[in-house]
Amino acid sequence: MDQVFLQPWTVDDLPVLESGNTNRMTSLLGGPESREQLVKRHAKFLRLWDEGEARMFAIRADSEEEPVGSVGYWKTKWANADVYEAGWSVATRYQGRGFASRALRECLRHAAALGDRQEVVAFPRVD
């Protein structure tokens, strides 16, 4: 089984967003984003890291040369409580190999180590 590890988001990670910007990957999210939207989201990930509001990571697997996806968490409110919300995406060609679950586990460890929120929530579509 591949070792999975997280790399903090960098200026070089725009291709990670591009690899998940397909009809299949975004069909439940309103469809693919334009190049301009991807560039803005990439810049937002970098800015929110610098501001301490979010932590986004590229998901790396020891058997793959390129990142297989992304995972992260950001500050938000839910049910009148300060929480983190988590999100993740693994490119279609890498799905079904357990990368998302292992990356999310590492992401949750990172959030717990920060220690400024009691809960992490996620709202994945199940359909």
Side-chain angles (χ1 to χ4, degrees), residues 78-117:
W78 181 70
N80 294 321
D82 290 330
V83 299
Y84 286 124
E85 183 173 348
W88 57 91
S89 176
V90 171
T92 305
R93 68 183 169 275
Y94 300 115
Q95 292 177 5
R97 294 167 56 185
F99 293 143
S101 59
R102 286 180 278 150
L104 183 57
R105 188 176 309 119
E106 290 303 311
C107 184
L108 292 174
R109 284 186 186 126
H110 190 280
L114 221 55
D116 67 340
R117 299 285 194 268

Side-chain angles (χ1 to χ4, degrees), residues 43-79:
K44 182 179 178 181
F45 287 176
L46 294 169
R47 179 179 51 79
L48 291 177
W49 186 292
D50 288 344
E51 294 172 357
E53 294 296 312
R55 294 291 182 252
M56 293 302 297
F57 303 92
I59 303 169
R60 304 296 306 229
D62 59 5
S63 66
E64 303 298 333
E65 292 197 24
E66 64 185 31
V68 299
S70 63
V71 65
Y73 60 94
W74 50 94
K75 293 178 180 179
T76 192
K77 283 201 175 285
W78 181 70

